[in-house]
Amino acid sequence: MKKSENLMETLTGLCKRRGFIFPSSEVYGGINGFWDYGPLGAELKKTIKEAWWKNMVQDRDDIVGIDSSIVMHPRVWEASGHVDSFTDPMVDCKECKSRYRADKLQEYREELGKKGKAEGCPSCGGELTEARKFNLMFKTFVGPVESEASVAYLRPETCQSIFVNFKQVQTVSRKKVPFGIAQMGKSFRNEVTPRNFIFRSREFEQMEMEFFCQQKDEDQWLDYWKQSRFDWYVEMGVKKEKLRLRQQTPDELAHYAKAAFDVEYEFPFGWQELEGIANRGNYDLQQHSKASGKDLSYFDDEAKEHYMPVVIEPSAGVDRTLLTLLVDAYDEETMENGEERSVLRFHPRVAPVQVGVFPLSKKLAEPARKLAADLRKHFRAFYDDAGAIGRRYRRQDEIGTPYCVTFDFASQEDSCATVRERDSMKQERVSLEGLVEYLRGRFE
Amino acid sequence: MKKSENLMETLTGLCKRRGFIFPSSEVYGGINGFWDYGPLGAELKKTIKEAWWKNMVQDRDDIVGIDSSIVMHPRVWEASGHVDSFTDPMVDCKECKSRYRADKLQEYREELGKKGKAEGCPSCGGELTEARKFNLMFKTFVGPVESEASVAYLRPETCQSIFVNFKQVQTVSRKKVPFGIAQMGKSFRNEVTPRNFIFRSREFEQMEMEFFCQQKDEDQWLDYWKQSRFDWYVEMGVKKEKLRLRQQTPDELAHYAKAAFDVEYEFPFGWQELEGIANRGNYDLQQHSKASGKDLSYFDDEAKEHYMPVVIEPSAGVDRTLLTLLVDAYDEETMENGEERSVLRFHPRVAPVQVGVFPLSKKLAEPARKLAADLRKHFRAFYDDAGAIGRRYRRQDEIGTPYCVTFDFASQEDSCATVRERDSMKQERVSLEGLVEYLRGRFE
């Protein structure tokens, strides 16, 4: 029995206890909206990023990647509209001093169980201030003088550096429309109320791709990308029935977007956006052309004409993908012997540890360590010789390791080991010589 | 004939023209000290990071990785000493308003050819202000209020999040001393005068590993890591004779360090630090224990005692490594036909494009594209059908592609293609069936 609120609490606890994710600077009491990824979380994050990059850049010849700076010229954010309009409305409670997003008050009230109450502070019912606009960009100063002239921002999205670099990248890569430019990297938003674990944090990592096409092909490419991106989550092992594609309604659409679809996942806190696939038109290229005075149009050398391509943008989040994998994989069950176990049913492709290697006894540590070292050349392998074998299995179940290999006293005689599968808990005797092939065949 | 100053100019030009690196936000005139990596640069950067992570984390069982936030609790930087002491002395010219690091004036004068002049502004000779201290941390504000209470900093180094997380990571990973914690990621320093292309920029990426050991073993581990890190650059293809290990003199040592070695490379602008390998003692763990009130000591369950381990830290830079690979690989030569070519002699392991695939004529585009798609499963492959074949070779030479495969009219008959090697420019006929093996054998 999984219960919504409990699942998020349980997962947050598991993540901290097993080293997936914990609050940043925790010894100093943490800092709201910032998270650190421990050994397993860092590996999982890396796997997600590599899978995205392979799918988007390496396996294709119509998309190239870039890696640009987080701090950009401040005029980028004037032209993009962020300096003026990237704001949330904010209210403060005059009594308890809590701060809320004015457009989410009802949601907070429901969460806090104040469903009946339609007014006042969600936590104490006190009087609220008028809503004020609050810009979500983190500000800093470049150079030694703190003045208006030296203000710069941490990027709130990675895509703008793709737009300002469009012409440069197109020229050096000699790509012809349709083609795309992809980027992964950190973005920062000074959220009024970071929440839902890593779902909405102040520092997060994006995976964005801007696909430049002719206007006449915009619908075709929007269709292509919304399907392709939906399929990617399924390939990462996410249950199809927990995913959906939803078209944004006209009042949800960003002002620059002509149409957009969201890939949504059913989290314990409701259906939420995992990724947006938007037709941004040529708004961004137009804005930066105007503001910079540099012509960012594309020259079609067959048609002998210049035009501004239309942009289809699939914009995904590393942290949200990671949270989805965790939520989707988490399960609890009662085993035949009556014991409870919690298990992360990760697809073997994404599991942070793919193979656990155990000696049955510490006396077998040497050959088992050697086996782990051999397997490490092919998989993310982990060696463990501490505690009873059942306990070692439980530890691997809890972090989602799909296969465990136990080296026992017979192994030295018959050159075989026992392979135990996570979900079925079935065990099979496999020759050491054929072990890599055996596992590889189960990982695809 | 390579000339120091010219080489850096030539490389900067090549990097921009071919899409390795260009100034950030260039359409807005750029922003001093920030750089963007284009398609080839992003690929090269990714290769460096993956090689480091593999070498440091994946191939070993005594080091785990983490990935922590850039913005941390501000008390981290008080405890580490950065708020008080991470400063450079700065002077301004009262006449031309240029700004310099007070401790580097003589260097600037030499660069600007004012060698004789021992005083005054390096560019105009004007009177300089008194030196003032300037903190190199970028400041920002977390939450909607800009006040002293909401100040936070962009991390100036990645290692501090390893220290504050030491206990947490050690506990969840159940590692015993000696073991290490590794991290790659962006750091930020508000340099007074960013310079030497990407060598000293304001936003850069670090690869740091903190190795925790017993005090009695500190010399042995310092020796191990200085050698291991030196060897890594050689494995990445850097010429051994351009690298050296140099022990820091007592007056160079950071106040917390007991001993340190630099891996240095002979850049056109002199021997410069690529990486520092330092014995930081237990300074950082002590500081954070004191400041946070949390005991960060290690419990040795065999000896039944608590102690603060000593830390050996190899601290490398992604961007500096990348610059080293570029400088080290760059060459110009006159070919037999009298033409000049410029070539990046990258090791095949690191080359951003590993195989170029060309159809001899556009009529052969289809089978050549198919060949490129097949090779892409194994290598970083690039398809090019534009221009004369000689020109295509030149383009690949310039970006350091070690092998080019040309699919010609005979290829359809004999199922072979011509493989041309970058450095010797020798060509060889190779069967398509054996091509992957042929190339793989040359890449290790």
Side-chain angles (χ1 to χ4, degrees):
Chain A
M1 282 277 292
K2 290 197 225 167
K3 233 197 116 197
S4 280
E5 289 150 84
N6 288 351
L7 176 56
M8 289 309 293
E9 261 175 53
T10 305
L11 262 182
T12 309
L14 187 156
C15 282
K16 181 166 149 53
R17 190 172 69 251
R18 300 309 309 275
F20 281 94
I21 304 160
F22 29 82
S24 166
S25 320
E26 204 178 14
V27 297
Y28 291 102
I31 171 168
N32 191 12
F34 298 91
W35 298 90
D36 286 354
Y37 290 81
L40 296 174
E43 212 53 54
L44 188 51
K45 206 174 159 190
K46 202 165 157 291
T47 301
I48 291 167
K49 289 168 68 179
E50 275 172 19
W52 187 87
W53 192 260
K54 184 174 185 317
N55 184 265
M56 284 300 213
V57 181
Q58 276 166 352
D59 287 352
R60 305 181 63 111
D61 66 359
D62 61 348
I63 301 182
V64 295
I66 68 167
D67 185 354
S68 64
S69 63
I70 288 169
V71 174
M72 299 175 70
H73 197 291
R75 287 184 60 202
V76 171
W77 308 109
E78 288 166 22
S80 68
H82 284 79
V83 170
D84 282 342
S85 316
F86 194 58
T87 57
D88 273 344
M90 180 178 83
V91 292
D92 291 294
C93 172
K94 291 179 181 173
E95 284 165 44
C96 74
K97 310 294 174 201
S98 301
R99 175 165 285 147
Y100 295 99
R101 261 176 68 176
D103 56 337
K104 302 268 185 188
L105 285 169
Q106 199 48 35
E107 257 180 55
Y108 299 134
R109 286 188 194 109
E110 283 172 25
E111 266 175 37
L112 295 167
K114 310 269 164 83
K115 211 164 181 170
K117 220 154 185 196
E119 270 175 47
C121 170
S123 54
C124 80
E127 196 189 341
L128 297 170
T129 61
E130 287 292 295
R132 287 161 297 153
K133 279 187 180 176
F134 164 60
N135 197 299
L136 298 183
M137 287 196 294
F138 282 101
K139 196 161 109 175
T140 190
F141 304 97
V142 174
V145 183
E146 287 184 18
S147 72
E148 270 311 301
S150 66
V151 164
Y153 304 96
L154 305 193
R155 66 179 174 201
E157 57 186 32
T158 56
C159 59
Q160 293 300 329
S161 57
I162 295 181
F163 298 129
V164 302
N165 283 323
F166 164 71
K167 190 85 182 181
Q168 172 85 330
V169 173
Q170 188 269 320
T171 307
V172 299
S173 65
R174 301 186 297 129
K175 292 286 173 206
K176 292 184 196 307
V177 165
F179 79 99
I181 304 176
Q183 176 166 228
M184 309 187 291
K186 287 269 174 95
S187 290
F188 296 79
R189 294 181 188 178
N190 201 353
E191 297 285 349
V192 177
T193 42
R195 55 212 287 258
N196 289 329
F197 197 21
I198 54 169
F199 185 81
R200 189 177 304 282
S201 55
R202 285 171 164 155
E203 175 175 339
F204 55 102
E205 195 147 356
Q206 294 186 297
M207 307 183 282
E208 296 195 303
M209 194 275 291
E210 312 301 315
F211 198 79
F212 301 91
C213 65
Q214 291 193 52
Q215 190 167 349
K216 70 178 174 59
D217 301 325
E218 61 184 1
D219 294 333
Q220 171 206 326
W221 283 113
L222 183 61
D223 277 355
Y224 172 87
W225 283 113
K226 78 179 200 233
Q227 195 55 50
S228 167
R229 294 305 304 150
F230 182 91
D231 294 345
W232 186 77
Y233 292 96
V234 178
E235 277 163 41
M236 297 294 283
V238 180
K239 293 184 196 80
K240 210 170 169 174
E241 62 272 22
K242 303 281 267 179
L243 288 166
R244 72 179 183 197
L245 265 171
R246 191 180 66 79
Q247 180 156 21
Q248 286 189 16
T249 58
D251 62 304
E252 284 177 290
L253 276 182
H255 67 95
Y256 50 75
K258 292 204 263 181
F261 289 82
D262 286 347
V263 180
E264 294 187 333
Y265 181 79
E266 193 180 10
F267 286 100
F269 44 90
W271 284 94
Q272 296 283 344
E273 180 197 337
L274 262 191
E275 169 161 356
I277 299 100
N279 177 351
R280 296 180 72 122
N282 57 25
Y283 175 80
D284 305 275
L285 292 179
Q286 293 280 12
Q287 287 297 104
H288 290 299
S289 284
K290 257 185 270 171
S292 70
K294 301 283 191 305
D295 177 14
L296 296 181
S297 68
Y298 170 77
F299 180 65
D300 182 330
D301 55 11
E302 280 164 31
K304 309 274 177 232
E305 55 165 7
H306 286 269
Y307 66 89
M308 288 283 180
V310 161
V311 177
I312 308 297
E313 171 194 80
S315 169
V318 179
D319 314 82
R320 286 187 181 189
T321 303
L322 195 144
L323 182 61
T324 304
L325 294 179
L326 284 167
V327 166
D328 198 63
Y330 185 78
D331 202 4
E332 289 169 3
E333 64 180 5
T334 309
M335 295 183 295
E336 281 180 19
N337 64 5
E339 269 182 55
E340 295 282 324
R341 70 164 186 162
S342 63
V343 52
L344 284 169
R345 302 194 192 277
F346 286 134
H347 191 289
R349 263 199 295 270
V350 306
V353 175
Q354 297 179 304
V355 197
V357 181
F358 311 151
L360 189 65
S361 144
K362 283 202 178 173
K363 286 177 193 149
L364 298 164
E366 202 191 310
R369 271 191 193 277
K370 198 192 153 297
L371 179 61
D374 288 347
L375 291 175
R376 199 168 284 129
K377 289 175 197 145
H378 307 277
F379 312 105
R380 294 183 288 272
F382 179 77
Y383 173 84
D384 187 7
D385 61 16
I389 198 87
R391 212 167 140 209
R392 282 182 260 171
Y393 283 146
R394 277 315 81 70
R395 283 201 288 255
Q396 296 305 311
D397 289 344
E398 201 183 22
I399 65 166
T401 307
Y403 294 94
C404 291
V405 178
T406 302
F407 193 96
D408 55 29
F409 290 100
S411 299
Q412 289 179 307
E413 309 296 315
D414 66 358
S415 293
C416 287
T418 300
V419 179
R420 182 255 197 190
E421 198 270 333
R422 176 193 65 206
D423 297 336
S424 64
M425 295 183 275
K426 288 217 172 99
Q427 304 196 358
E428 201 173 345
R429 198 79 184 156
V430 178
S431 85
L432 293 174
E433 207 188 347
L435 192 52
V436 169
E437 279 317 298
Y438 176 94
L439 292 169
R440 210 199 295 279
R442 280 157 177 80
F443 279 20
E444 271 147 24
Chain B
M1 282 276 290
K2 291 199 225 166
K3 232 195 120 200
S4 279
E5 291 151 85
N6 287 350
L7 175 57
M8 288 310 292
E9 260 175 53
T10 306
L11 262 184
T12 310
L14 186 156
C15 282
K16 183 164 148 53
R17 191 172 68 250
R18 298 309 308 277
F20 281 94
I21 304 159
F22 30 82
S24 166
S25 321
E26 203 178 13
V27 299
Y28 292 102
I31 170 166
N32 193 10
F34 298 91
W35 298 91
D36 286 354
Y37 290 82
L40 296 174
E43 213 53 54
L44 188 51
K45 206 174 158 190
K46 204 165 155 293
T47 302
I48 291 167
K49 287 168 68 178
E50 276 171 18
W52 187 86
W53 193 259
K54 185 174 184 315
N55 184 264
M56 284 299 212
V57 181
Q58 278 166 351
D59 287 352
R60 305 180 63 110
D61 65 1
D62 60 350
I63 300 182
V64 295
I66 68 166
D67 185 355
S68 64
S69 63
I70 289 169
V71 174
M72 299 174 71
H73 197 291
R75 287 182 60 202
V76 171
W77 308 110
E78 288 165 21
S80 67
H82 284 79
V83 169
D84 282 343
S85 315
F86 195 56
T87 57
D88 273 344
M90 180 179 81
V91 292
D92 291 295
C93 172
K94 291 180 180 171
E95 282 165 44
C96 74
K97 310 294 174 200
S98 303
R99 173 164 289 145
Y100 296 98
R101 263 177 65 176
D103 56 336
K104 301 271 184 184
L105 285 169
Q106 199 49 33
E107 256 181 56
Y108 300 134
R109 287 188 192 107
E110 282 171 25
E111 266 175 37
L112 295 166
K114 309 267 164 79
K115 210 163 179 171
K117 220 154 185 198
E119 273 176 42
C121 170
S123 53
C124 79
E127 196 189 339
L128 297 170
T129 61
E130 288 291 296
R132 287 162 297 155
K133 277 188 183 176
F134 164 61
N135 196 298
L136 297 184
M137 286 197 293
F138 282 101
K139 194 162 110 176
T140 190
F141 304 96
V142 174
V145 183
E146 288 182 18
S147 72
E148 271 310 301
S150 65
V151 165
Y153 303 96
L154 306 191
R155 66 179 174 203
E157 58 186 31
T158 57
C159 59
Q160 292 301 328
S161 56
I162 296 180
F163 297 129
V164 300
N165 283 320
F166 164 71
K167 191 84 183 177
Q168 171 86 326
V169 173
Q170 188 269 320
T171 307
V172 300
S173 65
R174 302 185 296 130
K175 292 288 175 205
K176 292 183 195 308
V177 165
F179 78 100
I181 304 176
Q183 174 165 229
M184 310 187 290
K186 287 268 174 97
S187 290
F188 296 79
R189 294 181 188 179
N190 201 353
E191 295 285 349
V192 177
T193 42
R195 53 214 286 259
N196 289 330
F197 196 21
I198 55 170
F199 185 81
R200 188 178 303 282
S201 55
R202 286 172 163 155
E203 175 176 338
F204 55 102
E205 198 149 353
Q206 292 185 299
M207 305 182 284
E208 295 195 304
M209 194 276 290
E210 311 303 314
F211 198 79
F212 301 91
C213 65
Q214 292 194 53
Q215 191 168 349
K216 69 178 175 58
D217 301 326
E218 62 184 1
D219 293 335
Q220 170 205 330
W221 283 112
L222 184 62
D223 276 356
Y224 172 87
W225 283 113
K226 78 179 201 237
Q227 194 55 49
S228 168
R229 295 304 305 150
F230 182 92
D231 294 346
W232 185 76
Y233 293 96
V234 178
E235 276 164 41
M236 296 294 282
V238 179
K239 293 183 195 83
K240 209 169 168 175
E241 63 271 23
K242 303 282 265 180
L243 289 166
R244 72 179 184 198
L245 265 172
R246 191 179 65 79
Q247 181 157 21
Q248 286 189 17
T249 59
D251 61 305
E252 285 177 291
L253 276 182
H255 66 96
Y256 50 75
K258 293 205 262 181
F261 289 82
D262 287 346
V263 180
E264 295 187 331
Y265 181 79
E266 192 179 10
F267 287 101
F269 43 92
W271 285 95
Q272 296 282 345
E273 181 198 338
L274 263 190
E275 170 162 354
I277 298 100
N279 177 351
R280 296 179 73 122
N282 58 22
Y283 175 80
D284 304 275
L285 292 179
Q286 292 281 13
Q287 287 295 106
H288 290 299
S289 285
K290 257 184 270 170
S292 71
K294 303 280 190 308
D295 175 15
L296 296 180
S297 67
Y298 169 77
F299 179 66
D300 184 329
D301 54 10
E302 281 165 32
K304 307 277 176 227
E305 58 165 3
H306 285 269
Y307 64 90
M308 289 283 181
V310 160
V311 176
I312 308 297
E313 170 195 80
S315 169
V318 179
D319 314 83
R320 286 187 182 187
T321 303
L322 195 145
L323 183 60
T324 304
L325 293 179
L326 283 167
V327 166
D328 198 63
Y330 186 78
D331 201 5
E332 289 168 4
E333 65 179 5
T334 309
M335 294 182 294
E336 280 182 17
N337 65 5
E339 269 182 57
E340 294 284 323
R341 70 163 185 160
S342 63
V343 53
L344 284 169
R345 302 194 193 277
F346 286 133
H347 191 289
R349 264 199 295 269
V350 305
V353 175
Q354 296 178 303
V355 197
V357 180
F358 312 150
L360 189 63
S361 142
K362 283 203 179 175
K363 286 176 193 152
L364 298 164
E366 203 191 307
R369 269 190 195 279
K370 198 191 152 298
L371 178 62
D374 288 345
L375 291 175
R376 198 167 285 128
K377 288 174 199 147
H378 308 277
F379 312 105
R380 294 184 287 272
F382 178 77
Y383 173 84
D384 186 6
D385 61 16
I389 198 86
R391 217 172 134 203
R392 281 182 260 171
Y393 283 145
R394 277 313 81 68
R395 283 201 288 254
Q396 296 304 312
D397 289 343
E398 201 182 22
I399 64 168
T401 307
Y403 294 94
C404 291
V405 178
T406 301
F407 193 96
D408 56 30
F409 290 98
S411 299
Q412 289 179 304
E413 309 296 315
D414 67 358
S415 294
C416 287
T418 300
V419 178
R420 182 255 196 191
E421 198 270 332
R422 177 194 63 205
D423 296 337
S424 63
M425 295 183 276
K426 286 216 174 102
Q427 305 195 358
E428 200 172 347
R429 198 78 183 157
V430 178
S431 85
L432 293 175
E433 208 187 347
L435 192 53
V436 168
E437 279 316 298
Y438 176 94
L439 291 170
R440 211 198 296 276
R442 281 160 177 77
F443 279 21
E444 271 147 25

